[in-house]
Amino acid sequence: FDAVLVCNGHYADPVLPPFLHPSNPTNKSTGPRILHSIEYDSPHEFAGQRVLCVGARASGADIAREISKVATQVYLSDSTHVDEMRVDDLTDVVLVGRTMRLEEGEGGGRVVYATKGGGEDVCEVDVIILCSGYHYQ
């Protein structure tokens, strides 16, 4: 080679959604495992687990689709109304509204999400994958 280019882009600083703000109390030792999509490699590490993907754009939908083949349950949360999302090929994924907050749960965490009409509901999860994008640098 005469030259080598390193083109790693300017999307390396993950956006954290509001429900992970430090003022929102969560117990990190007993709560769900939380990672960003930048850390995702393979669906196999999520086999037999209950997984929530936060963010239903390209990466969130793709990761949810892959993980749904091996996980016990996959939830896909988005801030838009669930009925507006394109879900043709997400038949094994439960679509939920915007994630509001985390609460302690049995063997993982309880995620409270918004429902259509302004209500709230919960799902129990072992893992949360943040597909929430990046800060532009």
Side-chain angles (χ1 to χ4, degrees), residues 117-128:
E120 293 182 347
D121 205 348
V122 298
C123 58
E124 298 271 345
V125 298
D126 304 301
V127 180
I128 297 174

Side-chain angles (χ1 to χ4, degrees), residues 57-125:
R57 301 304 182 258
S59 62
D62 288 346
I63 291 171
R65 183 181 309 104
E66 286 184 7
I67 292 174
S68 71
K69 306 303 181 218
V70 298
T72 301
Q73 183 67 67
V74 177
Y75 301 93
L76 181 58
S77 170
D78 195 55
S79 58
T80 61
H81 290 292
V82 171
D83 56 345
E84 295 174 11
M85 294 192 300
R86 186 170 178 265
V87 296
D88 300 342
D89 55 350
L90 295 173
T91 56
D92 296 330
V93 176
V94 177
L95 303 173
V96 299
R98 178 179 23 162
T99 301
M100 305 299 286
R101 64 185 177 277
L102 301 179
E103 298 175 348
E104 289 189 36
E106 295 181 27
R110 292 171 47 96
V111 176
V112 180
Y113 60 89
T115 60
K116 192 173 181 180
E120 293 182 347
D121 205 348
V122 298
C123 58
E124 298 271 345
V125 298

Side-chain angles (χ1 to χ4, degrees), residues 8-23:
N8 59 346
H10 40 252
Y11 295 106
D13 182 21
V15 170
L16 297 181
F19 72 89
L20 286 179
H21 190 274
S23 67

Side-chain angles (χ1 to χ4, degrees), residues 23-45:
S23 67
N24 190 350
T26 58
N27 187 337
K28 301 289 188 225
S29 64
T30 60
R33 175 181 166 210
I34 299 173
L35 63 145
H36 193 272
S37 59
I38 197 169
E39 302 170 76
Y40 175 80
D41 288 319
S42 166
H44 302 293
E45 68 181 288

